[in-house]
Amino acid sequence: MRKRILLIAALAALGAASAAGASGPVFTIVPTTQPMTTFASADIPNSGIVLPPSYLSPRDSQGLPFPVLQGYWQRAGTTYGIPWQVLAAINKVESNFGRNMGPSSAGAIGWMQFMPSTWERWGMDADGDGIADPWNPQDAIFAAARYLAAAGGRTDISRGVFAYNHAQWYVDEVLGLARLYGQNGSPDVPFVYDRLQVKLQTVEREVAQQNHLLVKATLTERRLARRARTLDARANSARLLSDRLELQKDAFQVDARRAGAAAEVRAARKKLKSAEAKLAEARSSSWTSSFAPGTATALGGPSYQGNYVFPVGGGANIISVGHHHHDYPAADIAAPEGSPVYALTDGVIVDSWSIPSGNCGIGFTMRSALDGREWTYCHMSYEDPTIGSGATVSAGQPVGLVGHTGHATGPHLHLQLQPATSYPQVESWFEAFAGSAFTWQDAPTMDPAGPVFEIVGSNDAPPVDDSVITFTVDGT
């Protein structure tokens, strides 16, 4: 794997090969015609920087115009010898181009999600205002390029990215996106895929919300219908005429409310069908793109391992699982509301319920064609209308969206064998997705591929931890 992605040392040669007709994308350093400023060295960490007041406090951002971001990536990459596509990929993975700047659960902040201690060591003032601000896109992007260069990224980009986040799944995800962004030599590629992702996620959330409104209206109508029937039955059995008339009046009023709820059901169903049509169109637009390297994660597409598919799309950066369930064997797969849910194997639907039922909420049970075992999905916000009893499904087929219906404290997919005789997490196919489709919540996701690298100054004392190999920027 490392040999496959150790490509930055030969950028010039690769660029020449590309010009000569070699296949595949090539990372290039894009020169800039803008005047260059004297930037902080990647050879020496900060001895002190000026930070903005309350710089650990969260700040809102609506992102930036794509041409502005592109300019920052390219100038920072040129300055520090880092492919701009890698900076773009980190920007996407870490903050979704500034839409989600934290602080993260670990305390990372800003456009490129630096830990405060790392920012104080490698953060910088790139826009010339005298302040090193991790919430400033120019400062953060240039600091990320500087940090990658200091970590050896100019000659081994995989090592640099690994230093940014000590997880091989992170390296694979970032470099997969970077290769995608390098396709066709067009700097617009990141934004084309970002627009596809935003459109897809927007309509997924819309479908989940419209289905919530439909379910709510449907349950209200059913409750009122039961109440009206009960009143009618009591009226018919009343002995006194006055009681019968009073009950009939109550039944009429409740039935009128039921009719109003039925109208709301029809309106909600119409809006849901419109949202479903937009979802089908968005999936069709992104379907071909989702097979390109690096896009399955960005577009929430299915992840395959042999004959199995991980049942929730979105990738290890946002999907997580614990090894245990609170009271019986099952897997609670945490994911954002509206994330796509997939059939984990080829199979047949044994039973399904699109209206929340008991603790499970919205879900279904399917029988795998691989071994005849049955799997139950719970807590979905939406179930695809094709998922009915007796329907056949293919591995990777969309079957619904993540939610928190039933007994759930937050959005996740509850997955269990039926009956729940063992944990899904211990199955080899499930574990094979760790680090690509999800991360473990309660344990390291996987052992790092090789030692962890840490930048130290020439005069710094070596760390006590023997698992950390230290190196200085001058090669000693």
Side-chain angles (χ1 to χ4, degrees):
M1 182 65 185
R2 291 179 62 83
K3 291 182 179 179
R4 182 163 61 88
I5 55 182
L6 297 181
L7 46 83
I8 303 308
L11 281 174
L14 285 173
S18 177
S23 60
V26 175
F27 294 163
T28 58
I29 304 299
V30 178
T32 178
T33 58
Q34 301 182 25
M36 296 300 293
T37 307
T38 300
F39 292 108
S41 170
D43 297 335
I44 305 172
N46 301 325
S47 58
I49 53 176
V50 178
L51 298 169
S54 304
Y55 89 103
L56 299 180
S57 301
R59 303 185 198 173
D60 294 329
S61 171
Q62 299 301 317
L64 283 177
F66 287 152
V68 176
L69 273 178
Q70 177 185 317
Y72 291 160
W73 298 332
Q74 291 181 343
R75 288 185 62 213
T78 300
T79 300
Y80 289 105
I82 299 297
W84 70 262
Q85 295 94 335
V86 174
L87 296 172
I90 291 176
N91 201 170
K92 176 64 176 177
V93 171
E94 292 292 352
S95 73
N96 198 15
F97 297 151
R99 299 186 187 102
N100 182 18
M101 298 196 295
S104 71
S105 58
I109 55 175
W111 271 81
M112 302 298 274
Q113 291 291 279
F114 276 89
M115 294 298 292
S117 59
T118 307
W119 180 260
E120 291 166 13
R121 191 171 173 84
W122 294 103
M124 60 183 286
D125 167 29
D127 63 0
D129 66 356
I131 298 173
D133 186 357
W135 306 93
N136 176 295
Q138 189 170 353
D139 289 359
I141 290 169
F142 271 78
R146 179 192 180 198
Y147 182 82
L148 291 169
R154 284 177 288 203
T155 56
D156 184 347
I157 193 60
S158 64
R159 187 174 75 179
V161 176
F162 188 78
Y164 209 95
N165 185 334
H166 293 176
Q168 189 59 42
W169 66 264
Y170 181 84
V171 176
D172 295 341
E173 184 170 331
V174 166
L175 294 186
L177 274 177
R179 283 191 292 272
L180 171 68
Y181 292 167
Q183 286 182 345
N184 304 321
S186 172
D188 295 330
V189 171
F191 313 127
V192 170
Y193 283 101
D194 184 65
R195 284 190 286 268
L196 281 175
Q197 182 191 35
V198 169
K199 180 179 180 181
L200 188 58
Q201 291 178 340
T202 298
V203 294
E204 285 171 341
R205 287 192 293 267
E206 182 180 352
V207 167
Q209 176 62 22
Q210 291 300 332
N211 194 61
H212 169 74
L213 295 175
L214 174 59
V215 167
K216 182 179 179 181
T218 299
L219 292 175
T220 298
E221 181 194 13
R222 290 180 179 181
R223 178 177 56 80
L224 292 171
R226 288 194 301 270
R227 177 61 177 164
R229 288 194 299 270
T230 298
L231 289 170
D232 277 332
R234 289 176 59 189
N236 291 334
S237 61
R239 294 185 178 184
L240 296 177
L241 177 60
S242 58
D243 291 343
R244 182 180 304 122
L245 292 175
E246 186 66 25
L247 288 166
Q248 286 175 342
K249 182 184 73 171
D250 292 344
F252 177 81
Q253 292 174 341
V254 172
D255 192 61
R257 291 167 58 196
R258 181 209 58 78
E264 291 183 11
V265 169
R266 291 191 294 272
R269 184 172 286 116
K270 183 177 180 180
K271 290 181 179 180
L272 176 60
K273 286 188 177 297
S274 175
E276 288 173 334
K278 287 191 285 186
L279 178 57
E281 190 277 330
R283 283 175 170 168
S284 177
S285 298
S286 63
W287 187 249
T288 300
S289 300
S290 68
F291 287 97
T295 59
T297 295
L299 298 177
S303 298
Y304 293 84
Q305 292 280 358
N307 294 321
Y308 283 91
V309 168
F310 195 72
V312 180
N317 199 45
I318 62 172
I319 310 298
S320 63
V321 187
H323 281 86
H324 302 284
H325 187 254
H326 58 88
D327 55 358
Y328 62 89
D332 283 347
I333 305 171
E337 186 92 8
S339 298
V341 177
Y342 300 104
L344 60 88
T345 69
D346 294 342
V348 61
I349 302 300
V350 177
D351 193 12
S352 68
W353 43 98
S354 57
I355 299 296
S357 175
N359 289 340
C360 185
I362 295 173
F364 63 88
T365 296
M366 65 169 287
R367 181 180 298 117
S368 171
L370 296 177
D371 53 20
R373 292 188 299 172
E374 295 184 356
W375 297 90
T376 293
Y377 290 49
C378 292
H379 305 321
M380 295 193 297
S381 61
Y382 166 79
E383 184 175 279
D384 193 280
T386 62
I387 306 303
S389 298
T392 57
V393 292
S394 301
Q397 177 180 331
V399 293
L401 301 173
V402 168
H404 60 280
T405 56
H407 183 61
T409 57
H412 67 278
L413 178 69
H414 174 97
L415 178 70
Q416 69 175 70
L417 280 163
Q418 195 66 33
T421 54
S422 65
Y423 278 94
Q425 298 92 314
V426 302
E427 306 228 350
S428 58
W429 69 266
F430 196 106
E431 292 181 321
F433 286 105
S436 58
F438 75 92
T439 54
W440 292 114
Q441 298 168 353
D442 51 0
T445 297
M446 59 172 56
D447 292 330
V452 174
F453 291 91
E454 178 182 86
I455 304 293
V456 297
S458 299
N459 298 322
D460 289 350
V464 175
D465 186 355
D466 292 336
S467 68
V468 177
I469 295 178
T470 62
F471 64 96
T472 60
V473 292
D474 60 4
T476 61

